[in-house]
Amino acid sequence: EAQVTQNPRYLITVTGKKLTVTCSQNMNHEYMSWYRQDPGLGLRQIYYSMNVEVTDKGDVPEGYKVSRKEKRNFPLILESPSPNQTSLYFCASGWDVNTEAFFGQGTRLTVV
Amino acid sequence: KNEVEQSPQNLTAQEGEFITINCSYSVGISALHWLQQHPGGGIVSLFMLSSGKKKHGRLIATINIQEKHSSLHITASHPRDSAVYICAVYGGATNKLIFGTGTLLAVQP
């Protein structure tokens, strides 16, 4: 089954404790992206990747890092999480920017 | 002003009604997406459009590139259509996806 898998689904952590949210797709897609969703602000793009070892900033990259060492995985790293990073996060993949996007189930992160 | 505007923000309909959600954008685009998000749930891609019209079951999406406008229509609406519908565009010279703030649809039986 074609899917994008995020882990964990829910995470509560403390300020400053490094964490990684994983994202994996099994469709051999080249394009992958991370978004956060906040009430009243909607979805905003954090980082995206056009292919292996090719990543670029979205609209809200501050406080986040990503890597794309292999095509299927695109982890989101929060080196020092802060409460303003409490949000619902989505990973997505597609063949490229002009094709259908497949979204992961979402990760609800709370930073206290 | 947001680069992607949706209307209405909230919509309540009776089961069976024909529903239209609108999306206007101010940037040049290469593609437009319509997404669906159920309460507490994930996001599903409904359509990707670069021109014309697409139909899938009771859902129809149209786009007018010259007018920078797209519509999502739902025929014979059903309570299970209740969700947030989100319009998103790939802005012209960038590979970034720009989202509208969504339309919350409630279909009452």
Side-chain angles (χ1 to χ4, degrees):
Chain A
E1 180 189 354
Q3 58 185 3
V4 178
T5 303
Q6 289 179 233
N7 279 297
R9 293 290 309 278
Y10 302 92
L11 179 59
I12 300 174
T13 190
V14 296
T15 298
K17 185 177 181 183
K18 181 180 178 179
L19 66 92
T20 299
V21 184
T22 64
C23 175
S24 181
Q25 50 94 3
N26 62 0
M27 295 165 278
N28 204 35
H29 286 160
E30 293 186 347
Y31 183 88
M32 297 186 74
S33 186
W34 276 103
Y35 309 93
R36 61 178 289 174
Q37 186 177 37
D38 301 290
L41 297 175
L43 283 155
R44 293 177 292 170
Q45 192 169 32
I46 303 170
Y47 269 96
Y48 63 94
S49 170
M50 300 296 290
N51 212 326
V52 175
E53 302 291 2
V54 180
T55 63
D56 208 346
K57 297 177 180 179
D59 289 321
V60 288
E62 295 78 18
Y64 304 94
K65 285 175 57 177
V66 292
S67 69
R68 189 90 183 272
K69 292 183 170 53
E70 49 191 339
K71 189 177 275 191
R72 66 182 291 122
N73 295 322
F74 190 46
L76 180 70
I77 303 156
L78 286 72
E79 294 271 4
S80 183
S82 63
N84 65 11
Q85 293 178 297
T86 292
S87 187
L88 179 59
Y89 291 86
F90 288 97
C91 176
S93 74
W95 291 112
D96 61 38
V97 299
N98 292 321
T99 59
E100 181 185 2
F102 293 80
F103 284 80
Q105 318 94 303
T107 295
R108 188 166 292 281
L109 172 65
T110 302
V111 183
V112 298
Chain B
K1 189 178 189 298
N2 292 335
E3 292 172 295
V4 180
E5 298 273 359
Q6 286 185 237
S7 63
Q9 286 189 305
N10 295 281
L11 180 57
T12 300
Q14 294 297 313
E15 184 172 358
E17 285 185 4
F18 181 84
I19 290 166
T20 296
I21 300 170
N22 296 298
C23 175
S24 296
Y25 52 90
S26 58
V27 295
I29 69 167
S30 55
L32 182 145
H33 292 253
W34 281 103
L35 310 172
Q36 180 192 57
Q37 185 176 26
H38 282 102
I43 297 171
V44 174
S45 177
L46 298 175
F47 295 102
M48 193 284 295
L49 294 163
S50 55
S51 65
K53 175 180 175 179
K54 287 189 176 179
K55 183 176 189 290
H56 185 256
R58 295 180 295 105
L59 302 177
I60 303 166
T62 64
I63 188 168
N64 185 317
I65 298 295
Q66 287 75 26
E67 295 185 3
K68 296 187 175 180
H69 180 268
S70 177
S71 293
L72 176 68
H73 306 285
I74 304 175
T75 62
S77 60
H78 189 276
R80 66 175 175 265
D81 297 325
S82 298
V84 175
Y85 292 84
I86 303 167
C87 171
V89 301
Y90 277 111
T94 75
N95 292 315
K96 297 180 182 179
L97 196 57
I98 308 167
F99 295 87
T101 52
T103 295
L104 176 60
L105 171 65
V107 181
Q108 298 179 340

Short mmCIF file of all heavy atoms in Angstrom, two decimals, chain A residues 37 42-43, chain B residues 4-11 19-23 33-39 42-47 58-61 71-75 77-88 99-107:
data_model
loop_
_atom_site.label_atom_id
_atom_site.label_comp_id
_atom_site.label_asym_id
_atom_site.label_seq_id
_atom_site.Cartn_x
_atom_site.Cartn_y
_atom_site.Cartn_z
N GLN A 37 0.84 22.99 11.13
CA GLN A 37 -0.51 23.53 11.06
C GLN A 37 -0.88 24.09 12.42
O GLN A 37 -0.84 23.37 13.43
CB GLN A 37 -1.51 22.44 10.66
CG GLN A 37 -2.90 22.96 10.42
CD GLN A 37 -3.85 21.87 9.95
OE1 GLN A 37 -3.77 20.72 10.39
NE2 GLN A 37 -4.75 22.21 9.03
N GLY A 42 -3.33 28.16 9.56
CA GLY A 42 -3.37 27.16 8.51
C GLY A 42 -2.06 26.40 8.40
O GLY A 42 -1.25 26.35 9.34
N LEU A 43 -1.83 25.82 7.24
CA LEU A 43 -0.62 25.05 6.98
C LEU A 43 0.48 25.95 6.45
O LEU A 43 0.24 26.81 5.60
CB LEU A 43 -0.92 23.97 5.94
CG LEU A 43 -1.68 22.75 6.43
CD1 LEU A 43 -2.43 22.08 5.30
CD2 LEU A 43 -0.72 21.77 7.07
N VAL B 4 -3.23 33.38 -1.14
CA VAL B 4 -4.30 32.43 -1.48
C VAL B 4 -5.48 32.72 -0.56
O VAL B 4 -5.35 32.65 0.66
CB VAL B 4 -3.83 30.98 -1.30
CG1 VAL B 4 -4.96 30.02 -1.67
CG2 VAL B 4 -2.60 30.71 -2.15
N GLU B 5 -6.60 33.06 -1.15
CA GLU B 5 -7.80 33.39 -0.38
C GLU B 5 -8.89 32.39 -0.69
O GLU B 5 -9.16 32.10 -1.87
CB GLU B 5 -8.29 34.79 -0.75
CG GLU B 5 -7.32 35.91 -0.44
CD GLU B 5 -7.47 36.42 0.96
OE1 GLU B 5 -8.35 35.92 1.71
OE2 GLU B 5 -6.72 37.33 1.34
N GLN B 6 -9.52 31.87 0.36
CA GLN B 6 -10.65 30.96 0.18
C GLN B 6 -11.92 31.60 0.69
O GLN B 6 -11.90 32.37 1.65
CB GLN B 6 -10.42 29.66 0.95
CG GLN B 6 -9.41 28.74 0.32
CD GLN B 6 -9.32 27.42 1.05
OE1 GLN B 6 -8.25 27.03 1.51
NE2 GLN B 6 -10.44 26.71 1.14
N SER B 7 -13.02 31.23 0.06
CA SER B 7 -14.33 31.67 0.56
C SER B 7 -15.37 30.60 0.26
O SER B 7 -15.27 29.90 -0.76
CB SER B 7 -14.73 33.00 -0.11
OG SER B 7 -14.88 32.82 -1.51
N PRO B 8 -16.34 30.44 1.15
CA PRO B 8 -16.40 31.09 2.46
C PRO B 8 -15.45 30.43 3.45
O PRO B 8 -14.88 29.38 3.16
CB PRO B 8 -17.85 30.87 2.87
CG PRO B 8 -18.20 29.54 2.25
CD PRO B 8 -17.47 29.51 0.94
N GLN B 9 -15.28 31.04 4.61
CA GLN B 9 -14.46 30.42 5.65
C GLN B 9 -15.22 29.29 6.33
O GLN B 9 -14.62 28.30 6.74
CB GLN B 9 -14.05 31.47 6.69
CG GLN B 9 -12.98 32.41 6.20
CD GLN B 9 -12.46 33.29 7.34
OE1 GLN B 9 -13.25 33.96 8.00
NE2 GLN B 9 -11.17 33.26 7.56
N ASN B 10 -16.51 29.50 6.51
CA ASN B 10 -17.38 28.50 7.12
C ASN B 10 -18.62 28.33 6.26
O ASN B 10 -19.15 29.31 5.72
CB ASN B 10 -17.79 28.92 8.54
CG ASN B 10 -16.61 28.98 9.47
OD1 ASN B 10 -16.14 27.98 9.97
ND2 ASN B 10 -16.11 30.19 9.71
N LEU B 11 -19.08 27.10 6.18
CA LEU B 11 -20.24 26.81 5.35
C LEU B 11 -21.03 25.68 5.98
O LEU B 11 -20.47 24.63 6.30
CB LEU B 11 -19.78 26.41 3.94
CG LEU B 11 -20.82 26.06 2.90
CD1 LEU B 11 -21.80 27.19 2.69
CD2 LEU B 11 -20.15 25.69 1.58
N ILE B 19 -22.74 22.27 -3.28
CA ILE B 19 -21.83 23.14 -2.52
C ILE B 19 -20.72 23.64 -3.43
O ILE B 19 -20.19 22.88 -4.26
CB ILE B 19 -21.24 22.35 -1.34
CG1 ILE B 19 -22.31 22.09 -0.30
CG2 ILE B 19 -20.05 23.10 -0.72
CD1 ILE B 19 -21.93 21.06 0.71
N THR B 20 -20.37 24.90 -3.26
CA THR B 20 -19.23 25.47 -3.99
C THR B 20 -18.30 26.16 -3.01
O THR B 20 -18.74 26.97 -2.19
CB THR B 20 -19.70 26.49 -5.05
OG1 THR B 20 -20.48 25.81 -6.05
CG2 THR B 20 -18.50 27.14 -5.72
N ILE B 21 -17.03 25.85 -3.11
CA ILE B 21 -15.98 26.52 -2.34
C ILE B 21 -15.03 27.17 -3.33
O ILE B 21 -14.65 26.54 -4.33
CB ILE B 21 -15.22 25.52 -1.45
CG1 ILE B 21 -16.18 24.85 -0.46
CG2 ILE B 21 -14.08 26.20 -0.71
CD1 ILE B 21 -15.59 23.68 0.29
N ASN B 22 -14.67 28.42 -3.06
CA ASN B 22 -13.87 29.18 -4.00
C ASN B 22 -12.46 29.43 -3.49
O ASN B 22 -12.23 29.55 -2.29
CB ASN B 22 -14.54 30.53 -4.28
CG ASN B 22 -15.87 30.35 -4.96
OD1 ASN B 22 -15.93 29.80 -6.07
ND2 ASN B 22 -16.93 30.77 -4.32
N CYS B 23 -11.54 29.55 -4.43
CA CYS B 23 -10.13 29.82 -4.12
C CYS B 23 -9.60 30.81 -5.14
O CYS B 23 -9.68 30.56 -6.35
CB CYS B 23 -9.32 28.53 -4.15
SG CYS B 23 -7.56 28.73 -3.91
N HIS B 33 -3.78 22.60 -5.77
CA HIS B 33 -4.27 21.40 -5.08
C HIS B 33 -5.52 21.73 -4.28
O HIS B 33 -5.61 22.80 -3.68
CB HIS B 33 -3.22 20.86 -4.11
CG HIS B 33 -2.01 20.31 -4.76
ND1 HIS B 33 -1.73 18.95 -4.82
CD2 HIS B 33 -0.99 20.91 -5.39
CE1 HIS B 33 -0.59 18.75 -5.45
NE2 HIS B 33 -0.11 19.93 -5.81
N TRP B 34 -6.43 20.79 -4.25
CA TRP B 34 -7.51 20.80 -3.27
C TRP B 34 -7.29 19.63 -2.32
O TRP B 34 -7.11 18.49 -2.75
CB TRP B 34 -8.88 20.67 -3.95
CG TRP B 34 -9.37 21.95 -4.54
CD1 TRP B 34 -9.38 22.31 -5.87
CD2 TRP B 34 -9.95 23.05 -3.84
NE1 TRP B 34 -9.92 23.56 -6.02
CE2 TRP B 34 -10.28 24.04 -4.80
CE3 TRP B 34 -10.22 23.31 -2.50
CZ2 TRP B 34 -10.87 25.26 -4.44
CZ3 TRP B 34 -10.81 24.50 -2.15
CH2 TRP B 34 -11.13 25.47 -3.12
N LEU B 35 -7.32 19.96 -1.01
CA LEU B 35 -7.08 18.98 0.02
C LEU B 35 -8.29 18.90 0.94
O LEU B 35 -9.03 19.87 1.09
CB LEU B 35 -5.85 19.37 0.85
CG LEU B 35 -4.57 19.72 0.08
CD1 LEU B 35 -3.53 20.28 1.03
CD2 LEU B 35 -4.04 18.51 -0.65
N GLN B 36 -8.45 17.73 1.57
CA GLN B 36 -9.54 17.53 2.53
C GLN B 36 -8.95 17.07 3.85
O GLN B 36 -8.08 16.19 3.87
CB GLN B 36 -10.51 16.48 2.00
CG GLN B 36 -11.68 16.18 2.91
CD GLN B 36 -12.42 14.93 2.46
OE1 GLN B 36 -11.84 13.86 2.35
NE2 GLN B 36 -13.71 15.06 2.21
N GLN B 37 -9.44 17.68 4.93
CA GLN B 37 -8.97 17.29 6.27
C GLN B 37 -10.17 17.11 7.18
O GLN B 37 -10.89 18.05 7.48
CB GLN B 37 -8.03 18.35 6.85
CG GLN B 37 -7.42 17.95 8.18
CD GLN B 37 -6.41 18.97 8.68
OE1 GLN B 37 -6.49 20.15 8.34
NE2 GLN B 37 -5.46 18.53 9.48
N HIS B 38 -10.38 15.85 7.63
CA HIS B 38 -11.45 15.58 8.57
C HIS B 38 -10.99 15.94 9.98
O HIS B 38 -9.79 15.91 10.27
CB HIS B 38 -11.89 14.12 8.50
CG HIS B 38 -12.76 13.82 7.33
ND1 HIS B 38 -12.31 13.20 6.19
CD2 HIS B 38 -14.08 14.08 7.13
CE1 HIS B 38 -13.31 13.09 5.33
NE2 HIS B 38 -14.39 13.61 5.87
N PRO B 39 -11.95 16.27 10.87
CA PRO B 39 -11.59 16.65 12.23
C PRO B 39 -10.70 15.61 12.89
O PRO B 39 -11.03 14.41 12.89
CB PRO B 39 -12.95 16.75 12.94
CG PRO B 39 -13.92 17.01 11.84
CD PRO B 39 -13.41 16.31 10.63
N GLY B 42 -6.04 13.11 9.21
CA GLY B 42 -4.98 13.49 8.30
C GLY B 42 -5.51 14.26 7.11
O GLY B 42 -6.68 14.63 7.03
N ILE B 43 -4.62 14.52 6.18
CA ILE B 43 -4.93 15.31 4.99
C ILE B 43 -4.91 14.40 3.77
O ILE B 43 -3.97 13.61 3.60
CB ILE B 43 -3.91 16.45 4.82
CG1 ILE B 43 -3.99 17.40 6.02
CG2 ILE B 43 -4.15 17.21 3.53
CD1 ILE B 43 -2.88 18.43 6.05
N VAL B 44 -5.94 14.55 2.96
CA VAL B 44 -6.05 13.76 1.74
C VAL B 44 -6.06 14.70 0.55
O VAL B 44 -6.77 15.71 0.56
CB VAL B 44 -7.33 12.90 1.76
CG1 VAL B 44 -7.51 12.18 0.43
CG2 VAL B 44 -7.28 11.91 2.90
N SER B 45 -5.30 14.37 -0.46
CA SER B 45 -5.31 15.16 -1.68
C SER B 45 -6.51 14.75 -2.53
O SER B 45 -6.68 13.57 -2.85
CB SER B 45 -4.01 14.93 -2.46
OG SER B 45 -4.03 15.63 -3.68
N LEU B 46 -7.36 15.73 -2.88
CA LEU B 46 -8.53 15.45 -3.69
C LEU B 46 -8.23 15.62 -5.18
O LEU B 46 -8.60 14.79 -6.00
CB LEU B 46 -9.68 16.38 -3.30
CG LEU B 46 -10.20 16.27 -1.88
CD1 LEU B 46 -11.24 17.35 -1.61
CD2 LEU B 46 -10.79 14.90 -1.61
N PHE B 47 -7.62 16.76 -5.50
CA PHE B 47 -7.33 17.08 -6.89
C PHE B 47 -6.02 17.84 -7.01
O PHE B 47 -5.65 18.58 -6.10
CB PHE B 47 -8.42 17.99 -7.51
CG PHE B 47 -9.77 17.37 -7.62
CD1 PHE B 47 -10.77 17.69 -6.71
CD2 PHE B 47 -10.06 16.48 -8.66
CE1 PHE B 47 -12.03 17.12 -6.82
CE2 PHE B 47 -11.31 15.92 -8.77
CZ PHE B 47 -12.30 16.24 -7.85
N ARG B 58 -18.56 12.56 -6.68
CA ARG B 58 -19.44 13.74 -6.52
C ARG B 58 -18.65 15.04 -6.46
O ARG B 58 -19.22 16.11 -6.26
CB ARG B 58 -20.26 13.57 -5.25
CG ARG B 58 -21.25 12.40 -5.30
CD ARG B 58 -22.05 12.27 -4.00
NE ARG B 58 -21.19 11.94 -2.86
CZ ARG B 58 -20.84 12.78 -1.91
NH1 ARG B 58 -21.25 14.02 -1.93
NH2 ARG B 58 -20.07 12.38 -0.91
N LEU B 59 -17.37 14.97 -6.59
CA LEU B 59 -16.52 16.15 -6.49
C LEU B 59 -16.08 16.61 -7.88
O LEU B 59 -15.70 15.79 -8.72
CB LEU B 59 -15.29 15.86 -5.64
CG LEU B 59 -15.52 15.39 -4.20
CD1 LEU B 59 -14.20 15.09 -3.53
CD2 LEU B 59 -16.30 16.41 -3.42
N ILE B 60 -16.13 17.93 -8.07
CA ILE B 60 -15.67 18.52 -9.32
C ILE B 60 -14.79 19.71 -8.97
O ILE B 60 -15.16 20.52 -8.12
CB ILE B 60 -16.86 19.02 -10.17
CG1 ILE B 60 -17.84 17.88 -10.46
CG2 ILE B 60 -16.36 19.64 -11.49
CD1 ILE B 60 -19.18 18.36 -10.99
N ALA B 61 -13.65 19.82 -9.63
CA ALA B 61 -12.76 20.96 -9.42
C ALA B 61 -12.50 21.62 -10.77
O ALA B 61 -12.28 20.94 -11.77
CB ALA B 61 -11.45 20.53 -8.78
N SER B 71 -12.54 26.59 -8.25
CA SER B 71 -13.70 26.22 -7.45
C SER B 71 -13.72 24.73 -7.22
O SER B 71 -13.32 23.95 -8.09
CB SER B 71 -15.00 26.64 -8.15
OG SER B 71 -15.12 28.04 -8.22
N LEU B 72 -14.20 24.36 -6.05
CA LEU B 72 -14.45 22.96 -5.72
C LEU B 72 -15.95 22.82 -5.51
O LEU B 72 -16.54 23.55 -4.70
CB LEU B 72 -13.70 22.55 -4.45
CG LEU B 72 -13.96 21.13 -3.93
CD1 LEU B 72 -13.39 20.11 -4.91
CD2 LEU B 72 -13.36 20.93 -2.55
N HIS B 73 -16.57 21.92 -6.26
CA HIS B 73 -18.00 21.69 -6.14
C HIS B 73 -18.25 20.29 -5.57
O HIS B 73 -17.55 19.33 -5.93
CB HIS B 73 -18.68 21.77 -7.51
CG HIS B 73 -18.41 23.05 -8.25
ND1 HIS B 73 -19.00 24.24 -7.91
CD2 HIS B 73 -17.61 23.30 -9.32
CE1 HIS B 73 -18.58 25.18 -8.74
NE2 HIS B 73 -17.73 24.65 -9.60
N ILE B 74 -19.26 20.21 -4.70
CA ILE B 74 -19.71 18.92 -4.19
C ILE B 74 -21.18 18.78 -4.55
O ILE B 74 -22.00 19.62 -4.14
CB ILE B 74 -19.52 18.81 -2.67
CG1 ILE B 74 -18.06 19.08 -2.28
CG2 ILE B 74 -19.95 17.43 -2.17
CD1 ILE B 74 -17.82 19.11 -0.77
N THR B 75 -21.50 17.77 -5.31
CA THR B 75 -22.90 17.52 -5.65
C THR B 75 -23.51 16.53 -4.66
O THR B 75 -22.79 15.69 -4.10
CB THR B 75 -23.03 16.96 -7.08
OG1 THR B 75 -22.35 15.69 -7.12
CG2 THR B 75 -22.39 17.90 -8.09
N SER B 77 -24.51 16.68 -1.51
CA SER B 77 -23.66 16.63 -0.32
C SER B 77 -24.22 15.67 0.73
O SER B 77 -25.44 15.43 0.83
CB SER B 77 -23.51 18.03 0.27
OG SER B 77 -24.77 18.55 0.61
N HIS B 78 -23.30 15.14 1.53
CA HIS B 78 -23.62 14.13 2.54
C HIS B 78 -22.88 14.50 3.82
O HIS B 78 -21.81 15.12 3.77
CB HIS B 78 -23.15 12.76 2.03
CG HIS B 78 -23.60 11.62 2.86
ND1 HIS B 78 -22.94 11.22 4.01
CD2 HIS B 78 -24.67 10.80 2.73
CE1 HIS B 78 -23.57 10.20 4.53
NE2 HIS B 78 -24.63 9.93 3.78
N PRO B 79 -23.43 14.14 4.99
CA PRO B 79 -22.73 14.47 6.24
C PRO B 79 -21.27 14.02 6.27
O PRO B 79 -20.43 14.67 6.91
CB PRO B 79 -23.57 13.76 7.30
CG PRO B 79 -24.95 13.80 6.75
CD PRO B 79 -24.78 13.61 5.27
N ARG B 80 -20.94 12.94 5.59
CA ARG B 80 -19.53 12.50 5.60
C ARG B 80 -18.62 13.43 4.81
O ARG B 80 -17.39 13.29 4.87
CB ARG B 80 -19.41 11.08 5.05
CG ARG B 80 -19.77 10.93 3.59
CD ARG B 80 -19.50 9.50 3.10
NE ARG B 80 -19.94 9.33 1.72
CZ ARG B 80 -21.14 8.84 1.41
NH1 ARG B 80 -21.98 8.46 2.35
NH2 ARG B 80 -21.48 8.70 0.14
N ASP B 81 -19.19 14.38 4.08
CA ASP B 81 -18.39 15.39 3.40
C ASP B 81 -17.93 16.49 4.37
O ASP B 81 -17.13 17.36 4.00
CB ASP B 81 -19.17 16.05 2.26
CG ASP B 81 -19.53 15.07 1.16
OD1 ASP B 81 -18.74 14.16 0.89
OD2 ASP B 81 -20.64 15.22 0.60
N SER B 82 -18.46 16.48 5.59
CA SER B 82 -18.08 17.50 6.58
C SER B 82 -16.59 17.39 6.87
O SER B 82 -16.09 16.34 7.28
CB SER B 82 -18.88 17.30 7.87
OG SER B 82 -20.25 17.46 7.62
N ALA B 83 -15.89 18.49 6.63
CA ALA B 83 -14.43 18.49 6.75
C ALA B 83 -13.95 19.92 6.49
O ALA B 83 -14.74 20.81 6.16
CB ALA B 83 -13.79 17.54 5.74
N VAL B 84 -12.65 20.10 6.62
CA VAL B 84 -12.02 21.34 6.17
C VAL B 84 -11.45 21.10 4.78
O VAL B 84 -10.75 20.09 4.56
CB VAL B 84 -10.90 21.80 7.13
CG1 VAL B 84 -10.19 23.03 6.57
CG2 VAL B 84 -11.47 22.09 8.51
N TYR B 85 -11.75 22.00 3.86
CA TYR B 85 -11.24 21.91 2.50
C TYR B 85 -10.22 23.01 2.29
O TYR B 85 -10.48 24.19 2.56
CB TYR B 85 -12.40 22.01 1.49
CG TYR B 85 -13.29 20.79 1.57
CD1 TYR B 85 -14.31 20.72 2.52
CD2 TYR B 85 -13.07 19.70 0.74
CE1 TYR B 85 -15.10 19.59 2.63
CE2 TYR B 85 -13.86 18.56 0.83
CZ TYR B 85 -14.87 18.51 1.78
OH TYR B 85 -15.65 17.38 1.90
N ILE B 86 -9.06 22.61 1.82
CA ILE B 86 -7.92 23.53 1.74
C ILE B 86 -7.45 23.62 0.31
O ILE B 86 -7.25 22.61 -0.36
CB ILE B 86 -6.77 23.04 2.64
CG1 ILE B 86 -7.23 22.89 4.09
CG2 ILE B 86 -5.57 23.99 2.55
CD1 ILE B 86 -6.25 22.13 4.97
N CYS B 87 -7.27 24.85 -0.13
CA CYS B 87 -6.70 25.12 -1.45
C CYS B 87 -5.21 25.44 -1.27
O CYS B 87 -4.84 26.13 -0.32
CB CYS B 87 -7.43 26.33 -2.06
SG CYS B 87 -6.72 26.99 -3.55
N ALA B 88 -4.36 24.92 -2.14
CA ALA B 88 -2.93 25.19 -2.06
C ALA B 88 -2.36 25.34 -3.46
O ALA B 88 -2.76 24.61 -4.37
CB ALA B 88 -2.23 24.06 -1.32
N PHE B 99 -0.67 27.83 1.10
CA PHE B 99 -1.98 27.32 1.47
C PHE B 99 -2.97 28.44 1.74
O PHE B 99 -2.61 29.48 2.29
CB PHE B 99 -1.88 26.47 2.73
CG PHE B 99 -1.08 25.22 2.57
CD1 PHE B 99 0.29 25.24 2.76
CD2 PHE B 99 -1.69 24.02 2.23
CE1 PHE B 99 1.05 24.08 2.61
CE2 PHE B 99 -0.94 22.86 2.09
CZ PHE B 99 0.42 22.89 2.27
N GLY B 100 -4.22 28.19 1.40
CA GLY B 100 -5.30 29.00 1.91
C GLY B 100 -5.60 28.58 3.35
O GLY B 100 -5.08 27.55 3.82
N THR B 101 -6.42 29.34 4.03
CA THR B 101 -6.69 29.05 5.44
C THR B 101 -7.78 28.01 5.62
O THR B 101 -8.06 27.59 6.73
CB THR B 101 -7.05 30.32 6.21
OG1 THR B 101 -8.10 30.98 5.51
CG2 THR B 101 -5.85 31.24 6.34
N GLY B 102 -8.38 27.59 4.53
CA GLY B 102 -9.33 26.49 4.62
C GLY B 102 -10.78 26.94 4.73
O GLY B 102 -11.08 28.06 5.17
N THR B 103 -11.68 26.07 4.33
CA THR B 103 -13.13 26.27 4.46
C THR B 103 -13.68 25.13 5.28
O THR B 103 -13.51 23.96 4.91
CB THR B 103 -13.80 26.28 3.08
OG1 THR B 103 -13.36 27.41 2.34
CG2 THR B 103 -15.32 26.32 3.22
N LEU B 104 -14.30 25.47 6.40
CA LEU B 104 -14.90 24.46 7.26
C LEU B 104 -16.33 24.19 6.80
O LEU B 104 -17.19 25.06 6.88
CB LEU B 104 -14.89 24.93 8.72
CG LEU B 104 -15.57 24.01 9.74
CD1 LEU B 104 -14.90 22.64 9.75
CD2 LEU B 104 -15.53 24.63 11.12
N LEU B 105 -16.56 22.99 6.32
CA LEU B 105 -17.88 22.60 5.80
C LEU B 105 -18.56 21.66 6.78
O LEU B 105 -17.96 20.66 7.21
CB LEU B 105 -17.73 21.90 4.45
CG LEU B 105 -18.98 21.25 3.88
CD1 LEU B 105 -20.04 22.30 3.57
CD2 LEU B 105 -18.67 20.42 2.65
N ALA B 106 -19.80 21.98 7.11
CA ALA B 106 -20.63 21.09 7.92
C ALA B 106 -21.88 20.78 7.13
O ALA B 106 -22.62 21.69 6.75
CB ALA B 106 -20.98 21.75 9.25
N VAL B 107 -22.12 19.51 6.87
CA VAL B 107 -23.31 19.07 6.15
C VAL B 107 -24.23 18.39 7.16
O VAL B 107 -23.87 17.37 7.75
CB VAL B 107 -22.97 18.11 5.01
CG1 VAL B 107 -24.25 17.71 4.27
CG2 VAL B 107 -21.97 18.75 4.05
#
